[in-house]
């Protein structure tokens, strides 16, 4: 009677549950296991998981039932184990599952078998993917497809830690489109948006793979440039300025060209993002006062 109670309890679990003896022969298979795998209890009872019925594989495609089986390891050492694997469904496709394995012992603490609980992990994987996408979107400027202020802030935190801990230098470039208000006033905001997208692509093209450019706001952009000395920093800033100057947006009235003013400062270990941006911003205004379409850095 008591065994029937526990069987009914296990059969009503959403998770899959199965028992094995010390030879890895399956002695119990609940309704949840049938639902997730497609195999009925009659099809698996008395078979060994060593027969590779479920054909568990990991992310790398390694066959776990024949090599590196977590359940077999638990039968040997009695340790609890968890893993994310893929089982083979009866219909042929793979199902992502999270497995938890616990040894079964007798009154003398001798291992007599093990129980494996597995849950369909597709929902959790989808949630993690959606959260990752949401985080990505929360740090994305939708117009330019560059990172936004939040992305720039997180990138700065990584780079300032590298500077403080490993003395890895980096600089910040502050870029402002010259006369952007006049562009909006003369051509409209739709053309202004196209100019922003064009400048964003040109700035990205000017940078190395390790560099990151973000839209700081309005017509302002911020680029974080790691692993450079003053000369290399200046060369990258000049390349950004020149590539924007060489860009042109085709309009019915002709090609619309724009320029940028670039200010920059090398980071110090005591910097915050605000203090570093302030110095670079001051340099950018110095470039503006020098006639625009200029680069001004506070390093030699």
């Amino acid at each position: 009677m008591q065994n029937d109670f526990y069987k009914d309890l296990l059969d009503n679990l959403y998770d899959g549950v199965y028992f094995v003896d010390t030879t890895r022969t399956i002695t119990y298979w609940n309704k949840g296991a049938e639902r997730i795998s497609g195999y009925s209890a009659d099809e698996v009872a008395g078979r060994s998981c060593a027969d590779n019925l479920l054909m568990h594989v990991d992310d790398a495609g390694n066959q776990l039932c024949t090599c590196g089986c977590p359940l077999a390891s638990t039968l040997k050492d009695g340790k609890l184990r968890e893993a994310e694997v893929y089982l083979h469904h009866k219909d042929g496709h793979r199902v992502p599952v999270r497995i938890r394995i616990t040894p079964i012992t007798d009154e003398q603490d001798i291992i007599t078998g093990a129980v494996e609980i597995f849950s369909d992990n597709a929902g959790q994987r989808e949630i993690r993917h959606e959260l990752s996408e949401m985080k990505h979107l929360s740090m994305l400027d939708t117009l330019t497809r560059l990172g936004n202020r939040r992305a720039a802030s997180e990138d700065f935190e990584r780079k300032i830690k590298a500077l403080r801990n490993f003395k890895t230098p980096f600089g910040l470039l502050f870029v402002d489109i010259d006369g952007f208000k006049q562009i909006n006033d003369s051509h409209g905001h739709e053309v202004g948006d196209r100019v922003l997208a064009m400048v964003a692509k040109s700035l990205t093209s000017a940078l190395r793979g390790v560099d990151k450019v973000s839209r700081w706001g309005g017509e302002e952009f911020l680029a974080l440039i790691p692993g450079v000395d003053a000369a290399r920093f200046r060369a990258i800033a000049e390349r950004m300025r020149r590539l924007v100057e060489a860009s042109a947006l085709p309009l019915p009235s002709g090609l619309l060209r724009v320029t940028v003013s670039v200010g920059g400062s090398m980071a110090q270990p005591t910097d915050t993002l605000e203090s570093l941006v302030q110095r670079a911003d001051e340099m950018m205004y110095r470039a503006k006062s020098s006639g625009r379409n200029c680069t001004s850095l506070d390093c030699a």
Side-chain angles (χ1 to χ4, degrees), residues 190-195 198 247-251 254-258:
E190 181 180 348
V191 170
D193 287 348
R194 291 174 62 192
V195 166
M198 177 187 72
S247 303
L249 184 68
L251 298 176
L255 295 176
L256 176 61
R257 300 183 184 276
V258 299

Side-chain angles (χ1 to χ4, degrees), residues 22 36-37 42 93 96 120 144 207 210 256:
T22 54
I36 295 171
S37 71
D42 290 339
H93 60 277
D120 189 337
T144 63
L207 297 177
V210 295
L256 176 61

Side-chain angles (χ1 to χ4, degrees), residues 213-277:
V213 60
S214 305
R215 186 181 178 193
W216 191 244
E219 67 271 27
E220 298 172 336
F221 300 86
L222 183 153
L224 291 167
I225 316 295
V228 289
D229 56 16
R232 186 62 176 156
F233 188 45
R234 183 175 297 278
I236 292 173
E238 271 296 298
R239 186 164 66 234
M240 293 172 71
R241 183 193 63 77
R242 287 196 303 268
L243 282 185
V244 173
E245 184 183 24
S247 303
L249 184 68
L251 298 176
S253 57
L255 295 176
L256 176 61
R257 300 183 184 276
V258 299
T259 61
V260 293
S261 296
V262 183
S265 180
M266 292 295 292
Q268 303 299 322
T270 55
D271 269 323
T272 62
L273 179 58
E274 291 73 19
S275 66
L276 185 56
V277 167

Side-chain angles (χ1 to χ4, degrees), residues 64-260:
L64 300 180
C65 293
T66 56
C67 181
C69 172
L71 190 148
S73 298
T74 293
L75 286 171
K76 287 181 180 179
D77 60 24
K79 293 181 179 178
L80 279 67
R81 283 178 170 82
E82 291 189 12
E84 292 188 2
V85 301
Y86 301 83
L87 64 75
H88 175 257
H89 192 275
K90 183 179 179 180
D91 291 338
H93 60 277
R94 285 290 174 181
V95 179
V97 292
R98 181 169 187 84
I99 63 173
R100 288 156 289 172
I101 303 164
T102 304
I104 300 172
T105 59
D106 61 16
E107 294 177 355
Q108 286 76 41
D109 285 333
I110 296 173
I111 296 173
T112 59
V115 55
E116 179 172 310
I117 302 173
F118 59 97
S119 53
D120 189 337
N121 209 27
Q124 289 298 319
R125 290 168 64 87
E126 183 64 24
I127 289 170
R128 287 199 296 269
H129 175 72
E130 288 179 2
L131 289 173
S132 177
E133 284 295 304
M134 288 171 63
K135 182 179 180 181
H136 171 70
L137 290 174
S138 74
M139 294 193 292
L140 184 72
D141 177 66
T142 55
L143 175 62
T144 63
R145 311 305 293 177
L146 298 177
N148 56 20
R149 278 199 183 210
R150 180 180 173 187
S153 178
E154 290 198 4
D155 192 31
F156 169 82
E157 290 301 326
R158 288 189 291 269
K159 288 179 171 55
I160 197 68
K161 286 180 182 177
L163 174 61
R164 291 167 181 166
N165 296 334
F166 308 108
K167 296 182 170 55
T168 305
F170 75 97
L172 184 149
L173 295 171
F174 200 89
V175 182
D176 185 271
I177 300 175
D178 297 324
F180 185 72
K181 183 178 183 302
Q182 184 178 351
I183 294 171
N184 273 334
D185 292 343
S186 302
H187 299 280
H189 288 281
E190 181 180 348
V191 170
D193 287 348
R194 291 174 62 192
V195 166
L196 287 167
M198 177 187 72
V199 170
K201 290 177 180 177
S202 293
L203 294 176
T204 302
S205 297
L207 297 177
R208 307 164 301 165
V210 295
D211 305 326
K212 295 288 179 63
V213 60
S214 305
R215 186 181 178 193
W216 191 244
E219 67 271 27
E220 298 172 336
F221 300 86
L222 183 153
L224 291 167
I225 316 295
V228 289
D229 56 16
R232 186 62 176 156
F233 188 45
R234 183 175 297 278
I236 292 173
E238 271 296 298
R239 186 164 66 234
M240 293 172 71
R241 183 193 63 77
R242 287 196 303 268
L243 282 185
V244 173
E245 184 183 24
S247 303
L249 184 68
L251 298 176
S253 57
L255 295 176
L256 176 61
R257 300 183 184 276
V258 299
T259 61
V260 293

